[in-house]
Structure formats: structure tokens, C-alpha cells
Amino acid sequence: MSSNNNNNQQNQLNRKGSIPSLTQDMNNNNQIVHNSVTWHAGMPLGNTVDSVMSPADRSVLLKSLNSRLSNTSNLPAEFRTMSMGVSHTIQANNSKKMQMALNQARKDNASPLLNVPAPTGGDVGSPPSKPNLPSAVPSPSSSSTIAPQELKSTPLAGDTNYFASLDTHKLSAVDVAIKFSTDSELGISNFEAQKRLAQYGPNQLATHTPNYFKKVFFYLFGGFCSVLWVGVLVFFLCWQPLSNPPSMVNFALAILVLIVILIQALFSAFQDWSTGRVMKSILNMLPSECFVIRDGQTQKIPTSQVVVGDLVQLNLGNKIPADIVILGTADLKVDNSVLTGESLPVNCTTQCTDENFLESKNVCFMGTHVVNGSGVGIVVSTGNATVMGRINRLTGEAKEKVPLIQTEINRFVGIIVLLTIILAFIFVLEWGVFLRVKHPNFQNTVAMLMNVMSCVVAFIPEGMPICVALTLLMVANRMKENDILPKALTTVETLGCVNVICSDKTGTLTQNRMTVVSVGFSDGQATADQVKEYLEQEQGSNSTSTVSSAYRQIQMCSILCNNSTWDQGTIDQPDIANRLINGDATDSAIFRFGHRMFPEYKYHLEVQSLESEFTRVHDLPFNSKNKYMMTAYQSVSGNSLAQMFGVTNHNQELLLIVKGAPDVLLPKCTHVLLSNSDQVVKLSSDYLEKIQGVQEKWARGGQRVILLTKRIVCPSTSNPVGSSAYRQEVESFGNQDLTVIGLIGLMDPPRPEIPNTVATCRRSGSRFFMVTGDFSLTAASIARQIGIYTTDLEPHTYDDLLIQASEHEKFVKDLKEKESSQTDQSSLSSEQSTIIKRLLSKIKKSKSKDEDDSSFSSFEMEPFTIRSTSEPTSLLLTGSDLEKIQTNKQLWNQVFNYDEIVFARTTPEHKLRIVKEFQHRGSVVAVTGDGVNDAPALKAADVGVAVVSGSDVAIEAADLVLLGSFESITQAMRLGRLVFQNLQKVIGFLLPAGSWSEIMPVVVNAFFGTPCPLSSFLMIIICCFTDLFPCLSLIMEHEETDLMAVPPRNSKKDHLITLRIYIQSYLFMGMLLTIISQGLFFSYLYEYTGLGWSDLVFTYGDIDFSKAKVTADEFNLVHVPIGTCVTFIALVILQWGNILAIRNRNQTILKADPIRQKRRNLWIFVGMLFSFVIALIVTKVPWFQSTFATGDVPIKYWLLPLPFALLVLLLDETRKFFVRHYPGGPIAYIAW
């Protein structure tokens, strides 16, 4: 019974193309075996070796084997326990090979492990078979065997030598399975997998231990803190020795700035921690699974649970979960660029191709990706023991890419610092040239240094880094709530700049729920339900008619030419519709269709009959370049099923089935199967026209059309099955003389939210294109359904581009003639005249660059199109069209002008070319996709967006992963724009009081000789405390208007800080706050001392107190400090009006107040409260009064700023009124 089960399992695996039979491979590779030498696990070797050799030889060989098996200390204890009771048979072709084993045993005199020679014959790259190995076998291999625990503990310093010493890749398939105690057919058991997982830990890379010293250093000295430390140093110097006696005020200022630095450092640490926590939770939500064979069943498990010895199935799009030695390959290609940087994929083989483990092509490494074909392999190392793990331990933390928003912040800070340096230089120069000479008693060195450093500290927006970090973190959390996973915070703001979206179709714009809806032939069509009904009627009536042979063949081919498999967890479901399938959407739909066509009452009998009759000997998986799949089957008995396909000699003939795109396969076809007569006739032009007509009809209805073909071939007997010569011969058969069986039409309905998503993206100023590998008419049909094509007119094609290019060439030549003849252009329209002048200007420029302008090629046209409004703006290009365009700039410029484009029948190279061409023309491109063929474009795009249900390769290449509906991409774009808008509001709030209004008191003091209206201490309090809390509320602002109704930001021109913002912040709001606050300062002095502005200006400390109500000491020690607090209180309260004004760029506060639901932001009032409390503490607490020379402000001057704050708001409301009602006026022109 066990033998029968194993045979059935082997047949099923062979049919699925997992691994061909091992017998031929073992014979080719000259394995040292003998039919009669059998060892049973758990039994003494002496009981299992028969009498084919002399007792002496038998004793020597058994001694060697027993010694080798007993010296397996490098394997885990459970690996050495042999109690499975499963036999492992070692075969040999003749007694000579047994003698070789005996000689080897005598030679090494029972060395540690059995040295089975590496294969020396056979064909490199031939797929090995799945040997019938026990699940727990000792590890016969070379003496340099590295056991799993050795992999885990090998010192890192010896990595280079370590990899050079590995020889696992040199072993045969049998020996690799033996070495890692696994069964290359059934895999390890689930119980054994759990034991290994418990002993060696999960298959995960070690996370880097942060360099805390380096982190703390940058927290304390990085960014703005470096400037603040200069302030600390200067303040300490001003404390002593420059001040005599030491000034406690300067000492207190130094301590205050130290506290500011500490607060910023603590916040930076908290921000790092919280950001890391959020991003970790986001990345943990991304799927990471693989398929393994355990207990003979295919299982999907998390990659973290993969263990050494696992048998892993590799399919197109998979990420390699661990380091694997390949046992079987079906055109398997792996992208190793993540490790090596090489862009070309590696063609994997089953045999060693290099002495070095890292260079051999029969090894796949953790973290790389399958980009073609499929394969099976044994895991030889996991986690930190893998090549990726060791590289991970050697490398430090990756340097983060500087995001666009950080670049803008750096630009803003650079401008501010430059202005600060200029102002500081002016103050120092003015002091050295004028004040120090003319008024030496007005301002000494200490006072000058205090003023300069106060300007420096005040002018730098300390709140900006905090606001930026919190904004990005908040938006990342919002994205997570909306099922959008940014893999890095750098992605968030870039989305706001996207103006071109290139989206894949299948699985992204459509539901990826393929269903076979139509079956067609050259002489008829039917629905899938009609085919099922017809087949059941034919079989139910026991009819011997062969009329249904074509339908039966298309059903059988749907199963045979397919790499999909039933999921083991749902295979027992009686309803086929409820079973899960492992495979891509198209193959899964066709696979389900084929099985659904069997009558229910004898389903299992039919499936068993099909599987037992055909054995797969070769397959060529589908890839996006070939656009077809090929399978080759050997008939076992030549029964009626084989005869139905035309197999007459099952011992020599193979059934070749090719499935793929009709436009690709039809040129390879010469015959066609007629469904009505079951005859195979020559594929005439009439039949070809009918087939193409069916294809076009279905495609226009949005169906994906697949063509099924066959051919009976007789491969050469001189090429062993599985050899490269054999494969090449079989594949060459599949490229010619094929017979058309029929067509299958699949429907993948668009996602219901897509039409609205496309419309929203287009309304936002982003063009939405489709880039798909599907047939052009199918793609155009779906494009119309989802709104990419908005006109009923036929889209332009490549031919139209050529016509336009020809017309443009003629137009330019005519312009040149007009220029030379100076023809009167008065008859032209104003638009035509403008175009002509523009083009003539470019022509003149091109002449200066290139004297030979006689040919059109010397003049590069800028992207523009002259079209009448009645002409379509849509374009349909195929991959072959792109091949013709290549790098033709003129044609690409024409393509660039279309608003609605569908690129069909594209390869990964085409998709990458499209992205690069649009980026070259200034577009910020987002690419969405889910397949392997999308990965290059996803990686090259400014923002790569993958769907969570997509391939591992696509998710790895993307910057953003959508967990939910595709509609969430518009929400991501909206949030990206909101980030930029809110940060501009933050800057607009900080600059007036925290920068301009703090510099102006120093200007008044230094150049007009009055007492300074604002002390250095109060400047720092405004910058670092009272302005900070209200400004944090601005990051919580909702969008003012529909952000998806405005064009995207031009990242090269639309900067975070612009001249208009400077005008708003400095010349309008800043001057307003300066005049009011300093007016209140001088008003207070006049009221309480009798000295006004006219009495103080240009006095430079030499004040005439004859008119004063107070003495000089009272004036300087009491009223001037209180006056500076009046300025301080005024600025704090005036900022309340500023924050209410700045939160709305154009809207009136009557429609967008912070209280009602639409634009509610109660955090503004919380920020105001915090600033008010800080102002109270600074001015009322005696310790602050005595230490920092502050004073108790009269209640009158707490109330006076309130109406002025309202005035600030009303004046800005007036400005907005003129902006809204006179958008072409001068106020609107300079409005931010």
C-alpha cells in the first residue's frame, strides 16, 4: 500500500512538472550504488547488506559505513535518530561501481562521513528527479559538511573562507537530501519541522543593534542644535569671564538654551522610537509566505517558519525564503541584483557550475526573486546563516534616502541661516564701525554678543523639525488607517507631486477573479455552461460519437497545460467553486474550468484516469516576454484519451500542448481542429480570419482570450529526457506546425471603485494610463469601462503618430520658408501667430546650435500637438509599436501630449521604457502593479504602488502597498498634498513673530538708539515655547479645499518656502505684528515714565530724564523690563489672530472656522492655552522676574493686544476678499 501511495504521489508530481524521474539522472551521473545494498533506518547495517560480496569486503564496507554514520556529531541529535522504518535503496549499474565504493572505504579507513563523488556526467542544468528518500537519513557527504548548528555559530570574521569552504552545492540530489535528513519527494514531516524550528529559531534576519552613542551624539549636536550650542558657548562666555562681575542673566540664558537642546534631543529620540514602531508595525503587515512540501503535501507557511531541510517550491514572482540548493528546474531564472547588483537574471541549473558556493547556478539565495519559470529545492541554511544574513550582519544601517520634503526643509533652513548670518554681520559691523566709536557706553561687547546670539537663536525656527516629524508620522498613521502601507516615510509627500499614474490592468484595475465565460473554435462558439452541459449529455448517454472530441480536448488541455494545483486545505470541498487554487489568476480560472467540466458523478474517476495516463516530461512556464506556456506529456498506455489527441505510438510520441496569446501563437499554427467534424484541416486564410474575428469580438467585450494548440512530436532518442538538448528540441517543436484546438475567453471584471478613482485622479491633474500585457482590444475595452478612455471615437495608434510627425515636419519646413521670405502673417489667427512665433524662436535657437538645419532631424520639437478639438485625445500603443518608436524623441513627444493612453502587449522592458520617457519629460510617475513583470517599473518609478495580493517581487519593489481597495490611492495622494500644505502654514505662522518681529527690536535698538523692546530671553521663549504649541495644532488641519481638484505640485518649481510666503510673513503679517507690539512697548513707557518714542529715538542710552516721571534706575531696571514683557505678551496674543488667519489660505473664517465640524480643529485653542500659561509663568513667577529681568505686566496690556489680534485677522480677511474677488489683481498676484 505504501508503495502504491508513493507511486501515485510520484505520478502526480511528475504530471505537475515538479521534478522528472530520477532513474535516468542517476544513471547519467554514475552514482555508486547497487540494487541489493539496502539499509533500513534503525537497523544494523550488517543485517541489510546481502551476500553479493566476500565476507572480508563486506566487513570493510560495513565498518566504513557504520563508522561514518556514527560520526555525525555535526548533526542534531534528532537527525541521528533512525527509527522511521523507511528503507533507502542505493543502486549501482554494475559490480565495478560497488568495487569503487569498497576501494574508497579501504582508502579512508572509515573516515567521518561517506564521500559520495559529485556527478561527473550528465547535462548541466538537467532537472533531477525526486528520489524516494527516507524522511530521516544520516548525512553522508564530504568531511567538510556544515550542519545547521554550525551554520548558526560560524564566526562572522571568516565569512569569505567559510563560503569558499562550502561544498553542499557540489553534491548530487540524493546526497543533498541525505545530508539534510529530508525526503526529496515528500519533504520533512510537520513534527520534524517544529522540532527544528524550536531548536534553531525562526528564519529571520537579525536586526541591527543601533549605535546608541552615535544616535545620542546626533540628537544633541545634529541639525539646529549645532547652532544652539554656539549660543550656549557665547552665553557662558558672556557670563564669565567677559562680564565682571559675572552676569547671572547670561548664565541663566545658557542654561535655558541647554534645556531647549535637551528637549529637542528627547523629542528626536521619541520621534525615532515612535516612527520605528509605526514603520515596524506597517512592515509586519506585509505578507511573507512560501510553499513547502511537508508530509508529501504542499503547504503555504510564513517564511519565518522555514527550516533547514524543507523542500521549497519556487514559482514565478516568489521571493526566495532561504538559501536553497536546486533539485529541479523548469526554466527557473532568479534575479540576484539585490545581492550582486547584476541586472540580468541567472539561469538556474541542477548541477554545480562553480567551485564557489556563491557563484554556482544551482544555488538560490535568500531575498532574491524568481522572475521566470519554477523549481524545487532543499533549504540548506536559514536566517543569519544565509548569505543575506551574513551580509546583513556585516553592513550597518542603510543610509536613508533624503525625501523631497526634507530637501525643501533643508532649503528653507539654509535660507534662514544665511539671512541670520547676514543680519549678525550687519549688527557686528554697525557696532564696530559706529556704536563702539560714537557711543561706547551704549552697548559694550557683552551686550553686542547677546544681541547677535539672540538674533541667531530667534531667527532659526526650532519648531520646524518637530512639526515636520509629527506631520509625517501623523500622515503615516492616517494612511495605515486607510489600508495604505508606506514602506518609508519618504514616500508620503512625494505622492502629492505625482502627475502621471501608470497602472497595470489585471489584479490592479480588475478584480483578479478570472472566470472562463466563452469557448470558441474556428467553426463555433459556446459559453462555459453550454460546454459543461454538452459534455455531460454526451457522456451521460454513453454515446460513442466523437462530435464532442474538440470540447473534450480543450477541457483536458485546460488541466494538462497548467501549473496550478489545488490547495491542500480545501481540496476535499465537494463544490469545486469553493476550492482554493495555488497559481496565478489566469491559470487558476482555466484549471477550475477544466475540472468543472467533468461530470460530478464520476469526477474522481475522470481525474484519476487523466493523471494516470499522462506523465509530464517537460514544461516551459509562461513569461511576459514569450506570452505562452508549453507542456510535453508521455502517454503511459496509449488509451482512448491519448488517441483522442492523435497519439498513435505512445512509446515514441509526445503530446505537446501550447497555451498563450492568440496573436503570438497563430503565426506558429498550420492546422486547425474543427469542432463540428472532429477533423484536423489546414489552417486556411478563411479559418484564420474566423479565429481572429472571434478573438476581436471577445476582446472588444473585455475578455482575455487564450489560444490552445497541440502537436504530436517524436523527439530524438539520443537526447536523454531532461537534458538541455532534449529541452531545446521539444521547445523547438512548440514553435512551429501547431494545430489550433480552440479559444478560451476569460472575464475579469473591473473593480467597482476604479471608474471613480480614475476620474478623481484625472480631476487632480494626474493623467491615468493603463500599461498591460493583455491584448490591445481587451485593454481598450476595459479602459472604456473604467473611464481611461472618455470618448467613443477610436483611439489614435502608431500610424497616427507617424502622420502627425510628418505633418509637423512639413509645418516646420513651411515656417522656415516663411521666416526666410518674411511673409506677412496678418491673415493668421492670434493662436496660430503665437505658435508660429514660438516655433520660429526655437528654430533660430536651433540654428545657433547647429548650422546644418536643412533637415528636420536637426530641430528637436518641444512637446506640443496641433489638433482640432474634435480629434480624440486617446492613444492605443502595443509593445511592437514601442519597439518601432525606440528612442525617437519626436514620437515620444507626441505620445507625451495625449491625455488618455493604453499601452498593450507590453513586456517589463517596455514598462520600464515608458516610465523613463515620462520622467525624462518632467513627469513625476507613480506605477501600480502586482506582478513580476511590473517590478522593474515599480522600482524605477518615483512612487511604486503594489497591491497586497500581488507577487513578492512587486511588493518588494514598491514604495507603497495597498491593503484594501485601489481607491485608497487617491486618499494617499490627498494626504501627500496635505502634508505640504500644512507645513507651509506652519512656516507662515512661525516667521512673523518668531523671526521678523524678534529681529526688528534689535534693529530698532542698534540703529535707532532706543532701549531694546524685546530681551534675548523672551526671544528664546517665543521661538521655543509660546509659538511651538499653537503651531503644532496646524499639522492637524484638514484640507482647506478639495486638494484633488488642484494640479499637483511641481517639485522643481513649487518650493515649500517661496517669495510669496516671505512677502506674506515678513512684509505683511510680520510688519503688522512688529508695529503693534513695539507700539504697545513705547505706549507703556510713555504712560508709566513719561518718555515716548520721540524722547528715546537716537539717544543711544543718553536719555534726557528731565521730562521723565521716574529716575534713570527705575526706568532701566523696572519699566524697560516690564516694557519688554509688554512686547512679549503682545506678540503671544497677536499670534492667536495670525494662526486663525494662516489656517485658511483663501477661504473666509466665516465658512471655515475651527469649531464647526467641516474644518474643526480644537487643538488650536489648546495651543493658545499653552502659550498663555507660559506667558503667565514667565511674567508672574518671581524667580523668572529676578533671574531673567522680566516684570509683572499691567492687566491693561494683557487686554489691549486682544482687539489688535482681531484686527490682524480682519486685515488678512480683507486680503483674502480681494484675492477671491479679484484673482487677476496685484494682491492676488503676490498672495501665497
Side-chain angles (χ1 to χ4, degrees):
M1 179 65 69
S2 176
S3 176
N4 291 336
N5 288 338
N6 288 337
N7 290 336
N8 290 337
Q9 181 69 22
Q10 181 67 55
N11 289 335
Q12 184 177 3
L13 290 171
N14 286 342
R15 184 185 65 76
K16 291 299 176 190
S18 299
I19 303 178
S21 175
L22 180 63
T23 305
Q24 175 100 29
D25 184 63
M26 291 181 64
N27 291 337
N28 290 340
N29 293 320
N30 300 321
Q31 302 294 327
I32 310 172
V33 288
H34 192 282
N35 288 331
S36 58
V37 180
T38 306
W39 168 66
H40 294 269
M43 296 177 60
L45 284 170
N47 296 339
T48 60
V49 180
D50 62 11
S51 57
V52 296
M53 60 184 70
S54 67
D57 288 344
R58 180 170 172 267
S59 176
V60 172
L61 182 60
L62 291 178
K63 180 181 178 182
S64 175
L65 291 174
N66 275 319
S67 176
R68 293 162 188 268
L69 295 175
S70 63
N71 284 286
T72 55
S73 58
N74 58 333
L75 290 176
E78 64 269 26
F79 287 15
R80 303 194 300 270
T81 302
M82 305 304 168
S83 58
M84 299 293 291
V86 183
S87 65
H88 171 56
T89 304
I90 306 177
Q91 302 179 354
N93 294 334
N94 48 55
S95 59
K96 181 178 180 181
K97 293 175 182 176
M98 178 58 70
Q99 187 63 39
M100 293 170 60
L102 180 60
N103 292 338
Q104 177 66 26
R106 287 170 174 161
K107 179 180 179 181
D108 56 25
N109 194 18
S111 60
L113 292 172
L114 175 60
N115 287 310
V116 180
T120 57
D123 183 76
V124 174
S126 61
S129 77
K130 282 185 149 186
N132 186 18
L133 296 174
S135 297
V137 191
S139 180
S141 97
S142 67
S143 59
S144 62
T145 299
I146 303 295
Q149 65 269 37
E150 291 178 329
L151 293 177
K152 188 174 181 178
S153 60
T154 302
L156 181 63
D159 279 340
T160 304
N161 294 332
Y162 165 70
F163 287 123
S165 68
L166 291 182
D167 61 355
T168 306
H169 61 296
K170 302 176 186 178
L171 304 179
S172 67
V174 176
D175 299 331
V176 173
I178 294 173
K179 175 174 181 176
F180 293 100
S181 305
T182 187
D183 187 313
S184 58
E185 180 178 309
L186 304 179
I188 60 177
S189 65
N190 283 307
F191 176 74
E192 181 64 30
Q194 293 304 316
K195 288 177 65 179
R196 298 187 188 188
L197 183 64
Q199 182 168 1
Y200 302 116
N203 177 35
Q204 294 174 338
L205 299 181
T207 56
H208 291 289
T209 302
N211 186 333
Y212 291 107
F213 175 80
K214 183 178 178 181
K215 277 183 170 290
V216 171
F217 179 83
F218 279 105
Y219 290 156
L220 292 174
F221 297 97
F224 293 131
C225 290
S226 58
V227 180
L228 295 179
W229 277 109
V230 176
V232 170
L233 178 62
V234 171
F235 287 141
F236 271 123
L237 290 175
C238 291
W239 166 51
Q240 66 178 27
L242 295 181
S243 293
N244 188 18
S247 171
M248 292 306 298
V249 172
N250 295 336
F251 177 77
L253 285 174
I255 298 300
L256 177 63
V257 177
L258 278 175
I259 293 173
V260 171
I261 292 173
L262 181 62
I263 291 173
Q264 285 215 356
L266 289 174
F267 180 83
S268 297
F270 169 76
Q271 187 263 333
D272 263 6
W273 172 80
S274 58
T275 300
R277 184 170 57 87
V278 170
M279 297 312 299
K280 183 177 180 181
S281 68
I282 285 175
L283 295 177
N284 286 341
M285 296 176 70
L286 298 179
S288 181
E289 297 175 322
C290 65
F291 289 98
V292 298
I293 299 175
R294 291 179 180 174
D295 289 327
Q297 294 186 342
T298 302
Q299 304 176 20
K300 179 188 285 188
I301 65 170
T303 56
S304 60
Q305 296 182 14
V306 171
V307 297
V308 170
D310 256 328
L311 195 62
V312 178
Q313 288 185 343
L314 304 175
N315 297 303
L316 180 67
N318 288 163
K319 185 177 181 179
I320 308 296
D323 287 356
I324 296 172
V325 170
I326 300 299
L327 300 185
T329 170
D331 199 25
L332 179 67
K333 294 181 181 179
V334 176
D335 177 12
N336 284 342
S337 59
V338 68
L339 286 177
T340 65
E342 294 290 338
S343 58
L344 296 177
V346 176
N347 292 297
C348 294
T349 70
T350 58
Q351 291 184 332
C352 176
T353 61
D354 196 285
E355 289 291 321
N356 193 321
F357 180 81
L358 300 175
E359 300 293 336
S360 185
K361 294 183 179 180
N362 67 332
V363 181
C364 292
F365 303 104
M366 180 185 192
T368 58
H369 296 94
V370 179
V371 295
N372 192 76
S374 59
V376 176
I378 291 180
V379 174
V380 298
S381 57
T382 60
N384 292 326
T386 63
V387 174
M388 179 66 76
R390 291 174 178 270
I391 293 175
N392 180 59
R393 291 165 63 189
L394 283 171
T395 56
E397 294 185 10
K399 184 178 180 181
E400 290 188 4
K401 178 183 176 183
V402 179
L404 288 176
I405 191 64
Q406 190 59 52
T407 303
E408 291 295 327
I409 294 294
N410 294 341
R411 177 180 175 272
F412 164 65
V413 171
I415 294 173
I416 293 295
V417 170
L418 179 63
L419 291 176
T420 303
I421 293 173
I422 293 173
L423 282 172
F425 176 76
I426 292 173
F427 290 145
V428 172
L429 184 65
E430 191 260 355
W431 177 81
V433 174
F434 176 68
L435 293 181
R436 185 168 173 270
V437 176
K438 299 291 185 181
H439 306 282
N441 296 324
F442 175 65
Q443 195 176 83
N444 59 21
T445 304
V446 172
M448 181 272 296
L449 289 175
M450 293 286 292
N451 277 343
V452 170
M453 289 316 303
S454 298
C455 289
V456 170
V457 174
F459 215 71
I460 291 176
E462 285 85 356
M464 275 301 298
I466 298 175
C467 290
V468 171
L470 288 180
T471 300
L472 293 177
L473 191 61
M474 179 201 67
V475 171
N477 277 310
R478 284 191 188 178
M479 286 189 169
K480 184 180 176 182
E481 293 171 2
N482 286 276
D483 290 334
I484 310 163
L485 303 186
K487 293 167 67 176
L489 291 179
T490 60
T491 306
V492 175
E493 195 274 330
T494 309
L495 279 166
C497 305
V498 168
N499 51 29
V500 170
I501 301 173
C502 296
S503 178
D504 181 39
K505 179 180 73 70
T506 305
T508 305
L509 302 179
T510 60
Q511 299 179 23
N512 206 23
R513 296 177 181 174
M514 291 279 188
T515 306
V516 176
V517 294
S518 305
V519 176
F521 304 93
S522 60
D523 54 354
Q525 300 177 45
T527 65
D529 291 334
Q530 289 173 337
V531 172
K532 179 175 175 61
E533 182 181 351
Y534 186 64
L535 288 175
E536 288 179 346
Q537 289 176 354
E538 287 291 326
Q539 296 186 15
S541 61
N542 295 321
S543 173
T544 58
S545 171
T546 58
V547 175
S548 63
S549 171
Y551 291 93
R552 289 276 288 168
Q553 287 188 52
I554 209 166
Q555 177 206 3
M556 298 301 178
C557 289
S558 299
I559 300 173
L560 293 175
C561 191
N562 208 307
N563 278 335
S564 298
T565 58
W566 293 116
D567 179 75
Q568 293 299 317
T570 60
I571 194 171
D572 295 328
Q573 289 279 349
D575 188 354
I576 291 176
N578 295 330
R579 296 183 188 178
L580 299 179
I581 299 176
N582 300 323
D584 67 67
T586 303
D587 265 8
S588 297
I590 297 175
F591 185 76
R592 194 186 301 275
F593 161 77
H595 279 269
R596 197 168 68 88
M597 293 303 104
F598 288 124
E600 294 181 7
Y601 66 92
K602 56 176 183 177
Y603 169 77
H604 294 287
L605 182 64
E606 291 279 3
V607 172
Q608 185 177 6
S609 174
L610 180 64
E611 292 181 349
S612 61
E613 176 56 26
F614 293 104
T615 301
R616 186 182 292 190
V617 294
H618 178 65
D619 66 42
L620 180 65
F622 176 89
N623 64 63
S624 56
K625 183 172 291 186
N626 295 336
K627 299 194 182 299
Y628 64 82
M629 175 186 179
M630 182 189 305
T631 55
Y633 284 90
Q634 183 82 53
S635 174
V636 175
S637 63
N639 64 11
S640 58
L641 279 178
Q643 294 171 13
M644 177 183 68
F645 281 104
V647 176
T648 56
N649 186 346
H650 69 279
N651 292 321
Q652 296 181 358
E653 295 178 338
L654 294 180
L655 170 61
L656 202 64
I657 307 173
V658 186
K659 172 188 71 180
D663 47 317
V664 174
L665 291 183
L666 280 175
K668 307 177 189 292
C669 297
T670 57
H671 294 79
V672 60
L673 173 65
L674 303 180
S675 62
N676 292 330
S677 61
D678 197 30
Q679 292 182 349
V680 176
V681 299
K682 191 172 184 61
L683 182 61
S684 64
S685 58
D686 290 339
Y687 286 123
L688 181 62
E689 202 172 301
K690 290 179 181 179
I691 294 172
Q692 291 174 334
V694 173
Q695 178 195 8
E696 291 189 9
K697 176 184 175 183
W698 290 357
R700 290 183 187 279
Q703 296 185 42
R704 169 174 284 187
V705 185
I706 302 296
L707 181 70
L708 288 170
T709 65
K710 68 174 182 178
R711 185 183 177 188
I712 307 300
V713 298
C714 294
S716 172
T717 57
S718 61
N719 297 324
V721 175
S723 66
S724 61
Y726 180 86
R727 295 199 306 271
Q728 290 174 7
E729 182 183 18
V730 172
E731 289 172 13
S732 66
F733 286 140
N735 282 311
Q736 56 186 336
D737 297 333
L738 298 176
T739 297
V740 175
I741 299 176
L743 298 166
I744 287 180
L746 301 101
M747 180 62 76
D748 184 15
R751 295 178 185 266
E753 73 273 10
I754 292 299
N756 181 61
T757 302
V758 173
T760 303
C761 290
R762 184 163 289 156
R763 184 168 56 88
S764 73
S766 299
R767 292 183 287 175
F768 200 106
F769 303 151
M770 180 191 292
V771 186
T772 178
D774 215 337
F775 186 55
S776 57
L777 293 180
T778 303
S781 175
I782 297 295
R784 285 192 176 89
Q785 294 179 42
I786 63 178
I788 292 180
Y789 282 168
T790 58
T791 174
D792 293 332
L793 298 174
E794 287 296 317
H796 279 181
T797 62
Y798 175 71
D799 293 337
D800 296 290
L801 293 180
L802 293 179
I803 293 172
Q804 290 179 24
S806 176
E807 290 176 350
H808 284 167
E809 182 175 359
K810 183 177 181 300
F811 182 58
V812 171
K813 289 180 179 178
D814 290 344
L815 285 175
K816 291 180 180 181
E817 293 176 1
K818 287 179 181 291
E819 181 195 26
S820 59
S821 61
Q822 298 183 354
T823 305
D824 182 21
Q825 300 176 11
S826 59
S827 59
L828 298 173
S829 67
S830 60
E831 182 180 359
Q832 289 174 326
S833 178
T834 301
I835 294 174
I836 290 174
K837 290 178 181 178
R838 177 163 57 89
L839 290 177
L840 286 175
S841 175
K842 282 195 66 71
I843 292 172
K844 291 177 181 178
K845 291 180 182 179
S846 68
K847 282 183 178 181
S848 63
K849 295 179 181 179
D850 188 351
E851 293 300 327
D852 183 16
D853 62 340
S854 58
S855 66
F856 176 71
S857 60
S858 66
F859 171 60
E860 180 183 331
M861 294 282 289
E862 64 178 10
F864 85 105
T865 305
I866 302 175
R867 289 197 300 258
S868 66
T869 56
S870 62
E871 290 183 345
T873 60
S874 54
L875 178 66
L876 177 61
L877 293 177
T878 64
S880 58
D881 295 334
L882 296 178
E883 292 291 342
K884 297 172 187 175
I885 295 176
Q886 289 293 336
T887 58
N888 188 311
K889 292 184 179 180
Q890 170 61 17
L891 292 181
W892 273 114
N893 286 341
Q894 291 298 121
V895 172
F896 184 82
N897 287 289
Y898 284 88
D899 297 325
E900 306 168 358
I901 309 178
V902 171
F903 298 95
R905 281 287 185 254
T906 55
T907 64
E909 292 79 8
H910 293 146
K911 294 184 178 183
L912 184 60
R913 164 65 67 181
I914 292 166
V915 172
K916 293 292 186 183
E917 290 292 344
F918 276 89
Q919 286 176 329
H920 178 68
R921 284 158 179 79
S923 296
V924 179
V925 182
V927 172
T928 66
D930 63 345
V932 179
N933 56 334
D934 301 314
L938 286 169
K939 188 174 293 186
D942 297 283
V943 180
V945 183
V947 182
V948 71
S949 58
S951 68
D952 294 341
V953 184
I955 293 175
E956 182 78 12
D959 304 298
L960 202 73
V961 181
L962 303 182
L963 287 183
S965 67
F966 188 78
E967 189 177 19
S968 56
I969 192 175
T970 59
Q971 181 66 10
M973 295 171 65
R974 189 186 305 274
L975 290 173
R977 296 182 179 192
L978 182 62
V979 168
F980 194 82
Q981 184 184 81
N982 283 350
L983 287 179
Q984 283 190 322
K985 293 178 180 179
V986 167
I987 292 174
F989 174 77
L990 290 176
L991 290 183
S995 180
W996 186 264
S997 297
E998 291 181 354
I999 291 296
M1000 293 310 294
V1002 180
V1003 171
V1004 170
N1005 172 248
F1007 289 92
F1008 292 91
T1010 69
C1012 187
L1014 193 65
S1015 69
S1016 301
F1017 166 71
L1018 295 175
M1019 291 181 188
I1020 295 173
I1021 293 298
I1022 290 175
C1023 278
C1024 301
F1025 296 98
T1026 61
D1027 268 5
L1028 176 62
F1029 292 103
C1031 114
L1032 289 178
S1033 66
L1034 287 174
I1035 70 175
M1036 307 300 295
E1037 279 293 325
H1038 299 287
E1039 55 187 317
E1040 180 177 346
T1041 56
D1042 185 4
L1043 291 177
M1044 299 302 286
V1046 297
R1049 177 174 74 88
N1050 186 328
S1051 60
K1052 296 180 180 178
K1053 297 180 180 179
D1054 300 330
H1055 296 293
L1056 181 66
I1057 185 72
T1058 63
L1059 180 61
R1060 292 177 177 179
I1061 293 180
Y1062 280 122
I1063 292 173
Q1064 165 75 14
S1065 300
Y1066 287 164
L1067 301 184
F1068 177 62
M1069 194 63 70
M1071 287 303 299
L1072 198 57
L1073 267 60
T1074 298
I1075 292 172
I1076 295 173
S1077 61
Q1078 294 195 27
L1080 290 173
F1081 169 78
F1082 288 106
S1083 174
Y1084 167 81
L1085 289 181
Y1086 182 75
E1087 180 179 352
Y1088 283 86
T1089 68
L1091 299 175
W1093 165 259
S1094 60
D1095 300 314
L1096 299 173
V1097 68
F1098 299 126
T1099 60
Y1100 296 102
D1102 188 15
I1103 303 173
D1104 181 8
F1105 286 96
S1106 61
K1107 300 179 182 180
K1109 301 177 183 178
V1110 296
T1111 64
D1113 288 342
E1114 289 176 332
F1115 180 84
N1116 291 317
L1117 299 179
V1118 177
H1119 293 290
V1120 169
I1122 294 176
T1124 60
C1125 290
V1126 169
T1127 306
F1128 167 71
I1129 296 299
L1131 288 175
V1132 169
I1133 296 177
L1134 289 173
Q1135 280 288 72
W1136 297 355
N1138 183 24
I1139 196 171
L1140 292 174
I1142 202 70
R1143 64 185 297 269
N1144 295 313
R1145 179 175 293 192
N1146 295 316
Q1147 284 188 340
T1148 175
I1149 194 172
L1150 299 178
K1151 292 184 177 180
D1153 61 82
I1155 298 176
R1156 285 182 290 184
Q1157 183 66 38
K1158 185 177 180 181
R1159 292 286 309 285
R1160 178 176 295 172
N1161 185 2
L1162 301 180
W1163 289 105
I1164 288 178
F1165 303 107
V1166 175
M1168 291 179 180
L1169 178 61
F1170 270 98
S1171 65
F1172 180 75
V1173 170
I1174 292 171
L1176 281 174
I1177 293 172
V1178 168
T1179 58
K1180 296 290 185 180
V1181 175
W1183 182 83
F1184 281 97
Q1185 292 177 354
S1186 61
T1187 304
F1188 295 103
T1190 62
D1192 193 358
V1193 177
I1195 187 64
K1196 173 182 178 180
Y1197 288 94
W1198 282 92
L1199 298 176
L1200 276 177
L1202 291 174
F1204 284 113
L1206 181 61
L1207 177 64
V1208 168
L1209 177 61
L1210 291 177
L1211 288 176
D1212 196 67
E1213 286 290 310
T1214 305
R1215 179 192 66 83
K1216 294 172 187 173
F1217 174 84
F1218 283 101
V1219 171
R1220 290 193 305 269
H1221 291 82
Y1222 304 98
I1227 296 180
Y1229 179 77
I1230 62 173
W1232 71 286

